Amino acid sequence: MIRAILAVVLVGLLTACGNGIPGLSDRVVQQAIALQVGQTQQTLAQQLRLKKPPKVEVKQVAIDQQDSLKIQGLPAYHLQGTYDLTLKFPSRQVTQEKNPFEVYLQQQPDQKNWKLAQLSKSDTEAESTWVTEPLQ
C-alpha cells in the first residue's frame, strides 16, 4: 500500500517537472520570455531616452497551455503561462509576480536548439510572416 502511494506521488512529481516536449527545457522557455521582455524594454528605453534598459531576470515559469504547430516547415510550440519578472535598474529593482506570457518556439532540425518565433507584419505586406531568433 505504501509503495503504491509513493509510486503515484513520484509519477506526479515527474510529470509536473516536465513539459512533455522533447528537448525543451525550462531554461529555453525562460530565455525566450527574457528575449521578448528585453526587446520591449529596449524599445521603451529608446522612447524614454534612457541611457540603457534595465537588466531582465525571468524566474518561476509555469506553462499552463501548449499547442504544437509548424513554422516555416519545422516543428514549433505555442506556450502560454505565467512567470515572475525582476527588472534591475541602476538605482533600484522592481519585481512582478505571475505575469502572463505567450511565446512561439521553433525546434531546429538538430532537435537541440530552439528559436523564438514572432509574427511580423509590415505595411507593404498583406500577410504576416514569421521572424525567428536563435536562443542561446
Side-chain angles (χ1 to χ4, degrees):
M1 180 70 158
I2 293 176
R3 284 186 185 181
I5 293 171
L6 288 174
V8 169
V9 169
L10 182 59
V11 168
L13 288 173
L14 290 174
T15 304
C17 292
N19 54 36
I21 301 172
L24 181 63
S25 67
D26 289 342
R27 187 173 72 69
V28 170
V29 179
Q30 285 179 331
Q31 288 175 338
I33 296 167
L35 180 57
Q36 275 188 335
V37 172
Q39 289 170 343
T40 302
Q41 291 301 316
Q42 182 72 34
T43 301
L44 286 172
Q46 289 172 350
Q47 291 174 348
L48 296 172
R49 297 188 177 140
L50 300 176
K51 291 181 182 178
K52 65 179 190 173
K55 183 179 176 191
V56 173
E57 187 176 294
V58 173
K59 292 185 178 180
Q60 301 299 318
V61 174
I63 299 170
D64 298 328
Q65 185 175 349
Q66 60 190 36
D67 301 301
S68 61
L69 66 150
K70 291 220 182 247
I71 296 175
Q72 300 166 340
L74 294 173
Y77 300 91
H78 174 219
L79 305 175
Q80 294 177 291
T82 59
Y83 68 98
D84 292 351
L85 173 68
T86 300
L87 298 172
K88 295 182 179 181
F89 296 91
S91 60
R92 66 186 174 115
Q93 76 178 26
V94 176
T95 300
Q96 300 171 335
E97 296 179 348
K98 304 270 188 231
N99 290 296
F101 76 86
E102 177 176 22
V103 294
Y104 289 86
L105 295 172
Q106 180 191 54
Q107 191 171 32
Q108 298 307 288
D110 64 8
Q111 296 186 352
K112 294 179 184 176
N113 294 306
W114 293 85
K115 288 185 177 182
L116 173 65
Q118 297 175 315
L119 275 176
S120 174
K121 184 175 181 180
S122 71
D123 295 334
T124 59
E125 295 179 30
E127 292 185 21
S128 298
T129 58
W130 288 102
V131 176
T132 60
E133 288 187 64
L135 298 171
Q136 303 298 327

